[in-house]
Amino acid sequence: MAGTPLSAADAEAVAPRRGTPEHRALMTVIAGLMLGLMLYGLEFVIVSASMRTIADELHGQTLQAWVTTSYMVTTTIATPLFGKLSDLYGRKRLYVTAIVVFLAGSLLCGTAGSVYELAAYRAVQGVGGGGIAALAFAIMGDVLTPELRARYQVYFSAVSVVAGVAGPPVGGLFASADTLLGIDGWRWSFLINLPIGLVALAIVVLRYRMPAERREQRVDYAGAGWLVVCLAPLLVVAEQGRVWGWASPLSLALCAVGAVGLVAFLVTERRMGASAVIPLRLFRSRVFSLVNAVSVLVGVGLFGSLIFLPLYLQLVKGQSPEHAGLLLIPQMAGVLTTSRSFSGVINRSGRYRAFLAGGTGLVTATLLGFASLGPGSPLWAAGALVYLLGAGMGVCLPVTLIALQNNSPKEDMGVSSAAFTFFRGIGGTAGTAAFLSLMFALAEDRVAGAVARAGLDPGFRAASADPAVAALPANRRVLDAVAGRGGVDLDDTSFLLHADPRIAAPVVDGLASSISTVFLVGAAVMALGVVLSLLLPGPASGPLPRAPR
């Protein structure tokens, strides 16, 4: 029955005592979840930190959205499917399967020879990533009472901190290394998953004991298929619309296919009832609907913008991958600060509206701050904003998950937790594809405009008149563009690492302006999230009741 969250003393009383078999069993389960999430979390931050180098090496800087969105779309689709299958056949079997698929995809990514190959292999990796993300949180909901979830959330926050602190510099190290053990350095951004994943797999297989309860029900494969038909064409348009034209016949045709897929998906979900990938009855809950609506916007605004932090630091500020990785560490410090401080308070008070509005508001303000940065902005300002962005994340992510799980029936814990990750993934996938497409569409025009005006800059004229500067191959790409001999190829931006700063300035200015616009759009999306957050039940009615268990 519904009730008020337990006090700290009551939660301590129901928690297993240290040293007892129950406590050791619980910590073994949590260790398995943490290792899986470590695998999943490290991959995102390592690849984000090294993506600029990967795209340059494969000559596909403007195509990098394929690499990111292929991973995210399969993750998004696999998430609810794994959640539903685990409700039917048990968590352990599906959790092990997810780790194996993730490792297979990682190995394939390490062999990629082009952006399109890498995108295909990342799609395989994303299937495993979706299963890991969905099942880790579902298992947490199974083994922990609502009173203990916030208490043990610190362990999961620690995983995010370790991944966030270690991932960026490790990714930068791999990106900067020409070779490592005879293999291209950037390929280790994917191959590093293998030793970590094998250890996680061994622990889960050998030590994780959880009974599987098989229930004979239908699995909604048709719904998952229609979801692919819905999402894939729309993401292709988001990525290629700038090339084809947003109103071109091909773009409009793919949008129509996506719309048909959406209608067919909703019809299928209604027909499947309780066996649906995402049962529509869950949306009868106001909290479920609002939390997941905010999750979509957080995915678009926050995760869609996160991909641009290393791009800003490397392309605009000229930082090496290692230095850019180190500058991203304050983000995890911010996450740890707020998630540890507020998780318990959120769970005890039930004031989801206030905390979620505050977290989304902080992210909105931070993205506006990023939009104001330019090539001449000090690095300390970027570092401070990175910390504040992490602080906002540390509030947004725990409060949405706690609110959702505390209002989900036990039998729906898997599918509702998977739906949470699914909707956040939908937002992140759409945001990443749309924002990268927007950025490079703007960059082509703004870099061309800045190059056309470069001759008016005294510093540029002085540098271009220097024979030693003009002779450098890295400078020739910009000088040729200024002279009207072609444009600047943005598919490989490695020349910026060696070009004279005065010669590179027009390109850097155009890229900085484009990235600032993306941050502005991200802030606008997050502002809408603030508005939706305020629609959640407020403190006047007391803590939100938990669904019957």
Side-chain angles (χ1 to χ4, degrees), residues 462-473:
S464 61
D466 186 338
V469 172
L472 288 175

Side-chain angles (χ1 to χ4, degrees), residues 96-365:
V96 169
T97 300
I99 294 177
V100 170
V101 172
F102 188 87
L103 294 182
S106 298
L107 180 60
L108 289 170
C109 288
T111 68
S114 70
V115 169
Y116 295 111
E117 277 188 17
L118 183 57
Y121 298 152
R122 286 278 281 170
V124 175
Q125 194 184 35
V127 173
I132 291 172
L135 297 182
F137 291 120
I139 294 170
M140 183 184 77
D142 285 339
V143 301
L144 298 175
T145 64
E147 292 74 28
L148 294 179
R149 284 173 199 148
R151 173 179 172 178
Y152 282 91
Q153 184 74 31
V154 67
Y155 292 102
F156 297 93
S157 296
V159 171
S160 298
V161 170
V162 171
V165 170
V170 169
L173 177 65
F174 291 153
S176 298
D178 291 332
T179 61
L180 202 60
L181 300 179
I183 301 173
D184 292 340
W186 65 265
R187 297 184 187 275
W188 283 99
S189 298
F190 306 102
L191 298 179
I192 189 63
N193 295 325
L194 299 181
I196 298 173
L198 290 174
V199 172
L201 190 62
I203 292 177
V204 171
V205 170
L206 298 176
R207 301 298 303 274
Y208 180 11
R209 298 289 183 265
M210 193 167 188
E213 181 181 345
R214 184 182 179 92
R215 293 178 289 165
E216 295 296 337
Q217 293 189 32
R218 294 181 296 170
V219 178
D220 189 12
Y221 296 113
W226 283 119
L227 197 56
V228 174
V229 175
C230 171
L231 293 177
L234 297 179
L235 291 174
V236 170
V237 172
E239 163 57 20
Q240 291 295 305
R242 64 188 175 88
V243 179
W244 300 335
W246 299 107
S248 67
L250 183 55
S251 294
L252 294 177
L254 288 176
C255 287
V257 172
V260 170
L262 175 60
V263 172
F265 172 72
L266 294 175
V267 171
T268 301
E269 298 305 274
R270 183 178 180 84
R271 187 178 69 248
M272 292 295 291
S275 298
V277 172
I278 302 177
L280 298 183
R281 60 179 171 77
L282 295 175
F283 291 94
R284 297 171 188 166
S285 166
R286 179 184 176 190
V287 173
F288 179 90
S289 300
L290 285 174
V291 164
N292 283 299
V294 174
S295 291
V296 171
L297 295 176
V298 168
V300 173
L302 179 55
F303 292 97
S305 301
L306 280 176
I307 195 74
F308 292 95
L309 295 183
L311 288 179
Y312 168 78
L313 293 171
Q314 294 180 53
L315 293 176
V316 178
K317 297 301 295 180
Q319 298 296 300
S320 67
E322 303 105 306
H323 291 161
L326 290 172
L327 287 168
L328 293 176
I329 290 177
Q331 176 187 326
M332 285 301 108
V335 171
L336 180 61
T337 300
T338 52
S339 64
R340 291 192 64 177
S341 301
F342 295 122
S343 288
V345 177
I346 292 167
N347 195 58
R348 290 193 299 271
S349 68
R351 295 174 181 265
Y352 307 121
R353 183 176 72 181
F355 284 103
L356 189 53
T360 51
L362 179 57
V363 173
T364 302

Side-chain angles (χ1 to χ4, degrees), residues 87 91 141-144 149 408-414 548-549:
D87 280 339
R91 313 277 194 230
D142 285 339
V143 301
L144 298 175
R149 284 173 199 148
S408 295
K410 181 73 172 180
E411 61 272 16
D412 286 333
M413 190 63 68
R549 295 290 188 256

